[in-house]
Amino acid sequence: MTSTASPPLASVDRDATPAPPAADGTPPPGTQDRAAAWAELVRLPALFTVPGDTLAGVAAAGGRAGARTLLPIGSSLCLYAAGMVLNDWADRAEDAEERPHRPLPSGRIRPAAALTAACGLTGAGLLLAARAGRPALAVAAPLAATVWAYDLALKHTPAGPAAMAAARGLDLLMGAAAAGSAKAAVPSAALLGCHTLAVTTVSRRETTGGSAAAPLAALAATGVLTRLVTHRRVRLPAGRGGASAPRR
């Protein structure tokens, strides 16, 4: 039975004058609450996992992480955060019934502010990608479009796992493009996308049970593609005329 109690902070007068900082400079409680709400909305702890895709793309392209790598990493972080905010904005009606403690249904963040933040973060992500170079922007633009399409239209459809897989693969390719060779990272992006597709598809069935065929098929597909990608990389230097091992 749904509780009729007001959600936390929903009854706070938003037009009230905020309390001044304490004498020691500590922000007033309202400021801390808002910061915590935004951190929850963007899934702040999960942001630390985001740079891995970009760095994997740089490595797959044969580049090295450096100061310039911060641009695609920043772009990836902004687009990821935009996706998290947009996800909650799109699901705010459902969350009001099932997860009323979330920042939007609880009233801690207004829907208009969340949508504005998602737009701003997307714009910032594209701007950082543009600063990393046209190849990076050419990947970031479809990545941003995929994020928005997933959250607003595809998430609850059969195309949802494929959109999620495409986003992960494009994220890796953006790092490679910033390093100078997106083409060289296509096999790695395909592997990451295949793995993401498999995990996302299986996760949708975890609450309903059923046959183990889907998880096993996902594991087999990921294993086969991993073998193909690693085999290609072992043969690549010889195929490009790289130095061979000295004969004995």
Side-chain angles (χ1 to χ4, degrees):
M1 183 174 68
T2 303
S3 173
T4 58
S6 299
L9 303 182
S11 61
V12 173
D13 183 3
R14 296 190 181 92
D15 296 326
T17 302
D24 60 356
T26 303
T31 302
Q32 295 176 333
D33 291 340
R34 285 193 295 273
W38 281 104
E40 183 180 350
L41 188 63
V42 301
R43 277 75 163 181
L44 184 61
L47 290 178
F48 294 99
T49 69
V50 174
D53 288 348
T54 305
L55 293 174
V58 172
R64 293 184 178 181
R68 189 174 178 81
T69 311
L70 295 177
L71 291 172
I73 288 178
S75 175
S76 182
L77 286 169
C78 286
L79 294 178
Y80 181 90
M84 293 297 99
V85 175
L86 189 63
N87 175 79
D88 276 27
W89 182 85
D91 288 349
R92 63 192 185 281
E94 177 183 340
D95 286 347
E97 297 182 1
E98 300 180 1
R99 292 171 287 273
H101 60 279
R102 294 291 303 161
L104 294 184
S106 69
R108 288 176 290 160
I109 296 176
R110 296 182 180 183
L115 183 60
T116 300
C119 293
L121 286 166
T122 301
L126 293 175
L127 179 61
L128 288 170
R131 293 291 301 274
R134 289 185 178 180
L137 179 60
V139 179
L143 172 56
T146 301
V147 169
W148 279 72
Y150 176 83
D151 282 332
L152 298 183
L154 303 178
K155 179 168 49 180
H156 300 299
T157 72
M164 180 69 73
R168 290 293 304 275
L170 287 169
D171 197 20
L172 187 149
L173 286 177
M174 182 168 62
S181 179
K183 184 178 180 180
V186 168
S188 297
L191 174 58
L192 178 60
C194 179
H195 172 72
T196 303
L197 176 63
V199 170
T200 307
T201 302
V202 171
S203 68
R204 288 191 168 194
R205 302 167 60 96
E206 65 182 358
T207 58
T208 59
S211 172
L216 291 176
L219 178 61
T222 304
V224 169
L225 190 54
T226 301
R227 172 62 179 170
L228 292 174
V229 171
T230 55
H231 183 65
R232 177 182 181 276
R233 289 194 173 279
V234 169
R235 294 173 57 87
L236 190 57
R240 288 190 174 182
S244 58
R247 297 182 179 179
R248 297 185 181 276

